[in-house]
Amino acid sequence: MPRICYVNKMDRPGADYFGCVEMIESRFDSRPVAVQIPIGEEGEFAGFVDLVEMRAMVYTDELGTEWEWREIPEDLTVVAELYHHALVETCAAYDDELMDKYLKGEEKDSVEDIKRGMRAGVLACEITPVFCGSSFRNKGVQPLLGGVVEYLPSPLDIPPVEGIHLG
């Protein structure tokens, strides 16, 4: 079954996004791929870094209704680059065009290629994109829904169900 994962309650004490990603890998038969990393922890949760597009979404109000796209904060640049590299490497295994760009070192401007590779890996049930947020404050919910549309199968991607007559 194709799936994505959402690490909720990032604004609560004890929230550990990276720990959850590790648990997904160790406890489930799944290969998690972080598509976001949180900006701030617990009560300081302010948004996330989008690892596909390599930019930061920062919420400007408490209820998650207003946000701004910004540059990645300096203290997260190295971590974002590491996770972005892992994301591209994983997705490249499912898309020949992205693999070609990756091997040539040209993957920086290939957002659509990354999304296509991610979708192919998800549909093959081999990778699980991991999102983060705080649903109570409506932070991260819209990007999660975008991920559902972007990566999970539509009804057109699944063969029709065949019934059987039992009587």
Side-chain angles (χ1 to χ4, degrees):
M1 166 90 49
R3 58 190 169 256
I4 61 176
C5 184
Y6 177 65
V7 179
N8 192 16
K9 299 187 179 188
M10 291 303 304
D11 60 340
R12 304 298 170 120
D16 184 5
Y17 176 77
F18 300 105
C20 287
V21 172
E22 288 177 14
M23 278 193 275
I24 292 167
E25 188 168 24
S26 66
R27 294 184 183 182
F28 300 103
D29 186 23
S30 180
R31 183 175 181 188
V33 178
V35 294
Q36 299 173 337
I37 57 173
I39 298 173
E41 297 176 345
E42 300 179 353
E44 302 297 316
F45 177 69
F48 58 85
V49 174
D50 182 330
L51 296 172
V52 175
E53 298 189 22
M54 289 303 285
R55 58 185 183 162
M57 177 184 260
V58 178
Y59 292 96
T60 56
D61 69 339
E62 279 298 311
L63 297 177
T65 58
E66 298 176 19
W67 65 86
E68 295 177 354
W69 288 106
R70 298 182 184 169
E71 293 293 317
I72 298 171
E74 285 185 35
D75 61 327
L76 291 176
T77 303
V78 173
V79 174
E81 285 292 333
L82 288 172
Y83 276 87
H84 174 75
H85 179 74
L87 169 77
V88 173
E89 187 175 320
T90 300
C91 293
Y94 300 96
D95 186 80
D96 293 337
E97 193 173 325
L98 178 60
M99 179 62 82
D100 188 46
K101 288 181 181 181
Y102 176 73
L103 293 174
K104 292 179 181 176
E106 302 171 355
E107 78 276 358
K108 291 289 183 194
D109 299 322
S110 55
V111 171
E112 292 306 315
D113 297 330
I114 293 169
K115 289 180 178 181
R116 191 173 52 249
M118 177 74 72
R119 180 173 169 78
V122 170
L123 293 178
C125 300
E126 294 179 10
I127 59 177
T128 303
V130 183
F131 294 81
C132 67
S134 172
S135 296
F136 182 70
R137 303 216 186 285
N138 200 34
K139 295 180 178 180
V141 176
Q142 291 302 322
L144 170 66
L145 294 175
V148 168
V149 171
E150 196 79 47
Y151 304 124
L152 292 179
S154 79
L156 299 176
D157 296 326
I158 299 172
V161 175
E162 290 187 31
I164 58 171
H165 188 293
L166 297 175

